[in-house]
Amino acid sequence: MPEPFKIKSVETMTLPNAEERKKAIEEAGFNTFLLKSNDCYVDLLTDSGTNAMSDKQWAGLMVGDEAYAGSKNFYHLQETVKEYFGFKHIIPTHQGRGAENILSSLTIKDGDWVPGNMYFTTTRFHQERNGANFRDVICDAAHDPSREDVLFKGNVDLKKFQDLIDEVGADKIPYICLAVTVNLAGGQPVSMQNIKEVSELAHKNGILVMYDATRCVENAYFIKDLEEGYADVSIKDIVHEMFSYGDGCTMSGKKDCITNIGGFLCVNDDDLYLRATAMVVQFEGMPSYGGLAGRDMEAMAIGIKEAMNYDYISHRVNQIRYLGEKLAAGGVPMVKPYGGHAIFLDAKQFLPHLDQEEFPAQALASAIYVESGVRTMERGIISAGRDAVTGENHKPKLETVRLTIPRRVYTYAHLDYVADTIIDLYEKRDTIKGLEWVYEPSCLRFFTGRFKQK
Ligand SMILES: *Cc1c(COP(=O)(O)O)cnc(C)c1O
């Protein structure tokens, strides 16, 4: 089906010439995060905050109530989150990591363990900053890009979760971080069945279930599309059921709330809520705005409702499948099945002549930019960082380049351009050189690290 929207306002885009692109990537230290947005053509760096808001959301900005406390937009947001997510308390934050900071600080003690279905960069950073050890409990198939037969690759392996409980004791595990969908596994969903089982095992042991709810609407679409018994259930009801098994969530509004900024923390526990309100005033702002303007909260409340619309979410996920199928027809290796927000190129298979220590995904993201002006992102050894204790590089099995599709921004014609130029590059892949560090930051190194060609 075509786009379920028509275009009311446009932004001109230009393609720098080959010479300009080469110069730009050199100046950016072969790090696509350091490119200027003006030097990029189709920008698939991230789906975070890059969404196109609707006419109703823009209208919502005009009814922003910029009171310091008790803004009417906060009450609108609170009511909306209660209705759609079902959690008892909500605290707005400037974005997702603001919520991660509060949750991690309030629940983790030094030496604790936090299991998760794979990790997310900022999420794990806050867990480790507060003294926790992270344990990956995602199913093995999630680490294998070729396991196309597994539909819910985001699922937790219950045995791995049980093993951790046996090994360290449940009192050392404040919560399990359950991501829906799993970004770094390739935008892979978690089934309702698995959510129920995780919740049962966690609660039996007195462990909280805290969702990373960032892409919960995409997860709900996969449940509706793929899991038995959900074909006739609405996206709204699926989201509500998913969260009914847990105790709270952190949310990046910049993804599935279809806004440009914002986030929130939800908890059911009254005491944890009180402690979170005491902390949010130190780092974000009053509990009724948490670092956001009234208008931002209004746009987020409207965005949450729009995201639950079936035509919207079905078009979004199917745009990603469309790009995946075009690339597959050109033989390009990818993580399969295709995820909910992005296509992940398998950089190890794309560039078999490079060792993982030569940063194949970083090199490939740079080469794609030079070839086409399309901006993508490394999700591999650079993003994984170093072990907090040993200082060794984490060496993830998945070495990927992420082509992330912003919500409601690009058309199928843009995706055709992306696919055609990447297929051209694939045909001359052996000309792509590896990279080495010029500057390695001590944390979250993928954002600002610099490289040179070997
Ligand atoms: C983006 C993201 C976050 C962090 O949210 P920000 O709004 O960028 O701070 C957390 N988890 C996942 C899975 C994300 O994709």
Side-chain angles (χ1 to χ4, degrees):
M1 288 297 287
E3 285 76 12
F5 49 80
K6 53 186 177 177
I7 295 164
K8 184 173 264 183
S9 178
V10 297
E11 186 181 332
T12 304
M13 51 199 280
T14 49
L15 174 62
N17 66 35
E19 195 73 3
E20 291 165 337
R21 300 197 295 266
K22 238 179 123 232
K23 190 160 161 264
I25 198 73
E26 274 163 18
E27 281 175 8
F30 295 88
N31 185 348
T32 52
F33 276 99
L34 300 178
L35 285 167
K36 294 184 184 130
S37 154
N38 264 348
D39 290 332
C40 301
Y41 184 52
V42 177
D43 195 348
L44 306 185
L45 183 71
T46 173
D47 62 332
S48 179
T50 52
N51 306 306
M53 294 207 296
S54 68
D55 50 354
K56 294 201 173 60
Q57 285 175 295
W58 281 101
L61 299 186
M62 286 305 291
V63 296
D65 168 9
E66 306 308 341
Y68 189 80
S71 159
K72 71 177 181 198
N73 312 113
F74 167 69
Y75 295 110
H76 183 200
L77 176 64
Q78 186 182 48
E79 200 181 286
T80 306
V81 172
K82 262 191 198 161
E83 181 185 342
Y84 287 84
F85 285 43
F87 295 116
K88 193 168 170 197
H89 303 291
I90 169 193
I91 297 180
T93 55
H94 75 286
Q95 56 184 84
R97 68 198 70 183
E100 291 167 356
N101 178 31
I102 295 171
L103 175 69
S104 305
S105 306
L106 293 179
T107 56
I108 293 170
K109 294 183 306 304
D110 208 23
D112 277 352
W113 289 80
V114 177
N117 47 348
M118 215 174 258
Y119 76 102
F120 184 72
T121 53
T122 60
T123 320
R124 192 179 72 190
F125 171 79
H126 281 292
Q127 292 159 1
E128 289 177 345
R129 197 175 80 93
N130 285 287
N133 303 285
F134 171 78
R135 174 70 64 88
D136 184 5
V137 294
I138 204 167
C139 63
D140 286 337
H143 293 280
D144 182 349
S146 68
R147 286 296 301 275
E148 199 170 351
D149 55 309
V150 183
L151 298 180
F152 290 96
K153 268 177 141 178
N155 280 359
V156 169
D157 181 331
L158 293 160
K159 180 167 182 310
K160 289 186 190 172
F161 185 19
Q162 180 69 58
D163 286 349
L164 179 69
I165 297 172
D166 296 342
E167 204 181 304
V168 305
D171 58 330
K172 285 248 179 276
I173 308 175
Y175 64 92
I176 178 166
C177 177
L178 186 59
V180 286
T181 60
V182 184
N183 188 348
L184 273 95
Q188 304 294 334
V190 181
S191 70
M192 194 72 87
Q193 181 64 31
N194 190 248
I195 294 176
K196 278 191 225 173
E197 288 164 357
V198 168
S199 163
E200 213 170 288
L201 180 54
H203 289 153
K204 201 170 72 187
N205 287 281
I207 297 166
L208 297 178
V209 177
M210 302 302 294
Y211 297 86
D212 180 339
T214 297
R215 293 185 183 78
C216 59
V217 185
E218 289 162 18
N219 201 89
Y221 178 80
F222 283 112
I223 289 177
K224 185 175 171 71
D225 197 30
L226 304 172
E227 191 164 350
E228 216 185 304
Y230 287 93
D232 297 326
V233 185
S234 70
I235 296 291
K236 178 182 173 180
D237 289 346
I238 295 175
V239 169
H240 205 276
E241 184 185 340
M242 278 162 52
F243 291 142
S244 71
Y245 303 113
D247 305 287
C249 73
T250 55
M251 180 73 184
S252 170
K254 303 172 71 170
K255 286 45 170 263
D256 271 359
C257 300
I258 331 185
T259 51
N260 304 120
I261 195 70
F264 51 84
L265 171 70
C266 288
V267 294
N268 284 337
D269 184 78
D270 296 333
D271 177 60
L272 185 55
Y273 170 67
L274 271 183
R275 293 192 296 132
T277 56
M279 196 176 161
V280 76
V281 291
Q282 296 170 39
F283 291 95
E284 307 273 330
M286 283 287 285
S288 62
Y289 76 85
L292 294 174
R295 55 180 173 269
D296 299 328
M297 293 190 282
E298 187 64 23
M300 195 149 67
I302 298 168
I304 290 170
K305 292 178 206 169
E306 290 181 357
M308 306 282 168
N309 177 282
Y310 179 77
D311 291 341
Y312 154 76
I313 189 62
S314 138
H315 166 261
R316 166 153 183 75
V317 176
N318 283 298
Q319 251 198 341
I320 286 134
R321 287 179 180 158
Y322 174 85
L323 176 59
E325 279 159 18
K326 279 215 95 167
L327 287 165
V332 176
M334 283 168 284
V335 175
K336 290 183 186 168
Y338 310 126
H341 67 301
I343 288 297
F344 288 69
L345 304 180
D346 181 347
K348 278 186 187 168
Q349 267 205 63
F350 201 114
L351 303 175
H353 59 286
L354 296 185
D355 186 83
Q356 197 168 14
E357 300 276 357
E358 296 174 299
F359 313 143
Q362 190 78 24
L364 180 54
S366 301
I368 289 171
Y369 173 73
V370 173
E371 176 74 16
S372 61
V374 173
R375 171 152 69 168
T376 60
M377 175 197 293
E378 189 261 14
R379 279 296 182 226
I381 187 167
I382 308 287
S383 294
R386 291 180 185 274
D387 186 285
V389 179
T390 66
E392 292 293 311
N393 276 322
H394 289 298
K395 279 190 144 189
K397 288 203 186 91
L398 291 181
E399 177 75 21
T400 63
V401 170
R402 193 179 79 179
L403 281 56
T404 340
I405 312 299
R407 294 167 187 77
R408 305 191 291 211
V409 172
Y410 294 115
T411 65
Y412 286 104
H414 292 116
L415 301 182
D416 287 341
Y417 174 83
V418 172
D420 291 343
T421 51
I422 290 179
I423 292 167
D424 287 348
L425 183 64
Y426 186 60
E427 275 151 21
K428 51 185 178 193
R429 56 194 176 274
D430 37 327
T431 61
I432 298 173
K433 295 192 187 109
L435 299 172
E436 58 189 314
W437 287 109
V438 172
Y439 161 62
E440 182 184 349
S442 61
C443 69
L444 297 173
R445 59 186 184 173
F446 55 95
F447 281 130
T448 55
R450 301 184 70 86
F451 305 85
K452 65 175 182 196
Q453 272 180 330
K454 282 194 124 172

